[in-house]
Amino acid sequence: MSPNMTLLIISGVLFACGIYLVLERSLTRVLLGLMMLTNGANLLLLTTGGYAGLAPFFVKGTDARAYSDPLPQAFVLTSIVISFAVTGIMLALVYRTWQLGRGDEVADDIEDRRVAAKTGSQPEEDAILPEDVSEFMDREEAAAADRAALHSARQKLLARDAVGVFPDGASQGVGSPDGTSPEGASPDGEDP
Amino acid sequence: MNLASLAPLAVVLPLFGAAVTFVLLRQERAQRIVSIGTVALTLALEVTLLVSVWGGGTVAVPIGEWVPPWGITLVVDQFSSLMLVISSCVSLAVLVYAVSQGVADGDHRDGPISVFHPSFLILIAGVSDAFLAGDLFNLYVGFEMLLTASYVLLTLGGTTARIRAGVTYVVVSVVSSLLFLIAIGMVYAATGTVNMADLAVKLGHLDPGIQLLLHVMLLLGFGIKAAVFPLSFWLPDSYPTAPAPVTAVFAGLLTKVGVYAMVRTETLLFPGDQLNGPLMVVALLTMVVGILGALAQTDIKRLLSFTLVSHIGYMVFGLAMSSVIGIGSAVFYVMHHITVQTSLFLVAGLIERRAGTTTVDRLGGLAKLSPLLALLYFLPAMNLAGIPPLSGFLGKLGLIQAGVTLGTPLALAVVVGGVAVSLLTLLALARVWARAFWRTPDDAESPDGALLAPAHATSMPRAMVGATAALVVLGLALTVFAGPLFAVSQQAAKDMLDRTPYITAVLGQEAAQQAAKQAAQTGVAQP
């Protein structure tokens, strides 16, 4: 049994083009790349059945080797249906991206960028706390002193952060990414 | 007739339920009843399956009386039925939670939310199919079912953040599925079969180089789904933006399906230890990189996504040891982790509802505001970190024991790493505890308005709290019944490493021996 070289080469070319396109930032190209990749995989699956033979309907007296293998064709059919569903979903996503942002590019994860830009120090954990004299203070006073120390430490850190990529305003404005979604918490429903 | 031959219903029931909920698209009440009823029925069925194989034994169910290795076969054994039961328990709790959240928020009649129920049920059908699959292609179909449903669930509502996350998720998933599909094509070209029991017999006769290639390709495909270290970057990027119940069920089930497929690959298809070394290195890196990522986060959902990645490393470690105690502990650890990680994500959803945000910079004083919520966070958090005597501790203890028994320098290094990662997990979760729950709201860097507001009637509906509490209790039950569960896990691991129960159940004893003999004579199996 020798596989069909033409199909294999085409499938290889499809893989190469597909990978190149998937690595692009434009979503339409990514979509095209995915379609090429799935078609490459389908061709590859098809060649695993070996040479093309008779249609696999049982005819008395025919040598079993004369039929072509039906199983890879069933695989390919399933795989085509699945790639159809995936292409549909990707098209919807691309269209929605265009609707929302008038753009066709993969966007950055804002929260991820923010975490990456952080200095890494936590005011609460890294501040130098004043000597613990709470034994001799009443609780209110101790809490106030504690808070004052924390506040000054935080101001210092914020001043340092402000030099970085994000000013401190941005670092607080970015909260949970879906705070405005209908299923998430709806702040307007919970405010008094 | 064996009760286990009802196995196909575990896939058919949710699919049927999905069809009915599609028809009932405009009747939310009926939709809810149907979907909860379906999942409950599926759970009952799967408990029956588990009971029928509890004492040991593997049952193969040929579909449509096509004799294996030609037809589709579903295989029920201890491992698959344990996974089925635990995944359905989790899905049921999440479904109740999601329904209650939807009810509290008012019905979105015209929104796309009504596709939630059908998609969720298809997801469950896909997960069941993947757990039961007796051949590689059916496994692929199961993966695709759950993935396609997950694309819809992840982008529910179509907000900017979700579409952005959804695009990454879809592309990465499609690429991983393609790798898997190509691997299936290669396997078929090399052996002429995709039935796993048949492959177990035939793969061993291939050239070692080809075996290694097929092995690596399969592991790559599954590794992306399981979020193993170099292939895990998509997960913390895409999970946190989804609605809380969706994230919870993804975190619990989807990565574990990948782990399940890896376990089957390592035990049934390629039983040798040729890749154990690399797998251990990967396990260590997954643990360490994941938890370091978690420490940097301020958003609870993102933090939990990173701990999810980190703890996949423990399962891979158990898998990489190829010993009964190692794989047995990994099986137990998977059950523990599904439950605990899902309950933590559900708690994060409750925090978001009660306090308006999951960013710890804006949280404080939750323990005083809602002691119940604090308890619901505290128990699974300690469980995840592995504080004795909870189930996380027991699973890690088993893994450490297995590592020390194995005794190679690499295994010992991973053991040390595992203990350190366990402590770091404790640190990450305790920081959330100290900041979100323990300090006064005034101390928060930028307190959220909802924190200081009095509790709203809809902020924490009873059924949401109840579903979360049920999962937390399930996590504790895993601790209480750890003895019998661990024994079953060990038994399952023994059967998987032995392989003969599986091959005998699918192909029959004679056929298995005959196939082995024939393959041995011809050298390479006939394509």
Side-chain angles (χ1 to χ4, degrees):
Chain A
M1 181 197 108
S2 65
N4 184 335
M5 275 317 272
T6 324
L7 284 184
L8 279 182
I9 290 171
I10 294 178
S11 134
V13 171
L14 281 176
F15 278 135
C17 298
I19 290 170
Y20 179 81
L21 283 176
V22 165
L23 295 177
E24 293 273 328
R25 244 185 131 87
S26 154
L27 283 179
T28 321
R29 291 184 190 191
V30 171
L31 173 69
L32 288 176
L34 284 182
M35 286 159 74
M36 284 195 170
L37 283 177
T38 46
N39 283 328
N42 289 347
L43 280 184
L44 181 74
L45 272 181
L46 201 61
T47 47
T48 60
Y51 54 85
L54 297 174
F57 295 113
F58 180 67
V59 179
K60 227 173 189 175
T62 316
D63 184 18
R65 290 156 200 266
Y67 298 115
S68 62
D69 189 349
L71 204 54
Q73 304 184 6
F75 291 165
V76 171
L77 266 184
T78 318
S79 152
I80 288 175
V81 174
I82 290 170
S83 63
F84 174 64
V86 169
T87 311
I89 288 185
M90 264 308 278
L91 268 177
L93 289 181
V94 173
Y95 178 63
R96 184 74 180 150
T97 315
W98 172 253
Q99 247 188 348
L100 286 171
R102 291 283 141 194
D104 181 35
E105 301 250 301
V106 182
D108 278 334
D109 186 353
I110 308 166
E111 174 72 7
D112 190 53
R113 298 286 103 215
R114 194 182 72 73
V115 171
K118 236 171 38 170
T119 49
S121 36
Q122 303 276 355
E124 207 149 335
E125 286 165 15
D126 301 339
I128 304 160
L129 289 177
E131 208 178 327
D132 185 12
V133 285
S134 48
E135 261 179 89
F136 307 107
M137 285 182 184
D138 73 291
R139 281 182 58 212
E140 297 294 317
E141 254 179 80
D146 208 25
R147 217 162 273 153
L150 191 59
H151 183 74
S152 67
R154 190 176 298 153
Q155 289 307 319
K156 239 181 267 169
L157 277 175
L158 285 182
R160 207 172 69 198
D161 273 356
V163 191
V165 184
F166 282 90
D168 68 68
S171 75
Q172 297 176 359
V174 184
S176 152
D178 71 342
T180 53
S181 63
E183 301 79 36
S186 47
D188 43 45
E190 297 184 5
D191 279 343
Chain B
M1 191 185 96
N2 196 317
L3 272 177
S5 43
L6 293 175
L9 283 180
V11 184
V12 174
L13 272 179
L15 275 184
F16 185 70
V20 174
T21 47
F22 251 126
V23 174
L24 298 173
L25 213 51
R26 297 276 160 223
Q27 277 113 32
E28 270 100 7
R29 223 182 130 75
Q31 219 184 15
R32 269 180 236 135
I33 294 168
V34 169
S35 63
I36 292 182
T38 314
V39 178
L41 207 60
T42 316
L43 176 60
L45 172 85
E46 286 163 356
V47 171
T48 323
L49 292 184
L50 178 60
V51 169
S52 74
V53 295
W54 181 269
T58 308
V59 184
V61 188
I63 305 289
E65 291 303 321
W66 280 83
V67 191
W70 288 286
I72 291 176
T73 318
L74 299 185
V75 181
V76 187
D77 63 359
Q78 286 163 327
F79 185 31
S80 58
S81 53
L82 278 175
M83 290 298 109
L84 281 176
V85 169
I86 208 88
S87 68
S88 285
C89 286
V90 166
S91 327
L92 186 61
V94 171
L95 189 60
V96 171
Y97 181 98
V99 162
S100 146
Q101 182 173 355
V103 173
D105 283 343
D107 293 333
H108 305 274
R109 269 182 209 293
D110 46 358
I113 310 301
S114 47
V115 298
F116 173 81
H117 289 282
S119 318
F120 193 81
L121 288 173
I122 293 176
L123 181 88
I124 293 174
V127 170
S128 302
D129 192 34
F131 284 150
L132 286 170
D135 64 84
L136 278 183
F137 200 76
N138 197 16
L139 184 65
Y140 169 74
V141 172
F143 270 137
E144 284 306 317
M145 271 158 80
L146 70 90
L147 283 177
T148 314
S150 72
Y151 303 153
V152 177
L153 288 173
L154 193 81
T155 50
L156 270 185
T159 57
T160 316
R162 283 185 196 162
I163 294 290
R164 185 202 58 72
V167 167
T168 323
Y169 178 72
V170 172
V171 172
V172 171
S173 304
V174 170
V175 168
S176 88
S177 298
L178 271 174
L179 273 175
F180 183 21
L181 187 65
I182 293 167
I184 290 176
M186 302 265 205
V187 166
Y188 186 77
T191 62
T193 181
V194 286
N195 184 296
M196 292 213 254
D198 207 16
L199 282 176
V201 178
K202 288 182 178 165
L203 278 173
H205 301 289
L206 293 179
D207 181 66
I210 297 180
Q211 277 194 50
L212 188 66
L213 174 77
L214 297 175
H215 193 172
V216 170
M217 284 197 72
L218 283 176
L219 281 187
L220 269 183
F222 299 146
I224 296 180
K225 292 190 168 86
V228 175
F229 161 61
L231 314 167
S232 65
F233 295 109
W234 58 273
L235 191 144
D237 188 51
S238 51
Y239 276 17
T241 49
V246 171
T247 317
V249 78
F250 282 15
L253 299 186
L254 298 199
T255 48
K256 305 312 179 300
V257 179
V259 173
Y260 174 87
M262 283 175 85
V263 172
R264 288 287 183 209
T265 315
E266 283 297 299
T267 56
L268 185 63
L269 301 182
F270 299 96
D273 49 5
Q274 65 222 38
L275 282 186
N276 283 5
L279 271 179
M280 275 194 203
V281 175
V282 162
L284 181 62
L285 288 175
T286 310
M287 292 180 195
V288 172
V289 174
I291 203 63
L292 291 182
L295 285 171
Q297 306 301 320
T298 49
D299 184 80
I300 299 179
K301 282 184 180 176
R302 288 179 61 90
L303 185 144
L304 289 176
S305 303
F306 275 99
T307 62
L308 169 62
V309 173
S310 162
H311 284 242
I312 295 291
Y314 287 98
M315 298 162 211
V316 178
F317 175 48
L319 176 60
M321 284 185 284
S322 291
S323 61
V324 171
I325 178 160
I327 295 186
S329 313
V331 170
F332 182 79
Y333 202 84
V334 172
M335 292 194 283
H336 145 79
H337 196 252
I338 289 180
T339 325
V340 166
Q341 193 75 45
T342 311
S343 33
L344 277 174
F345 270 109
L346 289 184
V347 171
L350 283 178
I351 293 176
E352 186 168 32
R353 290 188 67 86
R354 179 62 193 87
T357 177
T358 49
T359 308
V360 279
D361 284 344
R362 307 170 71 181
L363 291 173
L366 276 174
K368 194 173 177 190
L369 215 56
S370 173
L372 178 61
L373 186 58
L375 185 70
L376 288 181
Y377 172 80
F378 189 74
L379 288 175
M382 291 302 110
N383 203 342
L384 185 67
I387 298 295
L390 297 165
S391 55
F393 168 73
L394 298 173
K396 285 183 184 106
L397 187 67
L399 290 172
I400 289 171
Q401 212 173 352
V404 174
T405 315
L406 192 65
T408 59
L410 190 55
L412 292 178
V414 186
V415 165
V416 173
V419 174
V421 168
S422 175
L423 288 174
L424 287 176
T425 312
L426 183 63
L427 173 64
L429 294 169
R431 266 164 77 176
V432 172
W433 172 260
R435 301 180 70 199
F437 288 92
W438 211 238
R439 64 179 173 188
T440 62
D442 318 339
D443 278 348
E445 281 80 356
S446 45
D448 198 86
L451 261 192
L452 311 167
H456 203 269
T458 59
S459 60
M460 291 213 304
R462 284 225 185 98
M464 284 174 81
V465 179
T468 316
L471 267 193
V472 173
V473 170
L474 181 66
L476 295 181
L478 286 182
T479 313
V480 177
F481 298 107
L485 281 174
F486 217 88
V488 172
S489 307
Q490 299 285 324
Q491 178 69 35
K494 208 167 145 232
D495 280 0
M496 281 193 282
L497 283 172
D498 185 20
R499 299 208 298 164
T500 40
Y502 195 100
I503 300 177
T504 312
V506 178
L507 295 173
Q509 202 151 21
E510 270 178 52
Q513 282 166 356
Q514 216 173 15
K517 214 186 287 172
Q518 197 186 355
Q521 277 168 2
T522 51
V524 180
Q526 288 275 321

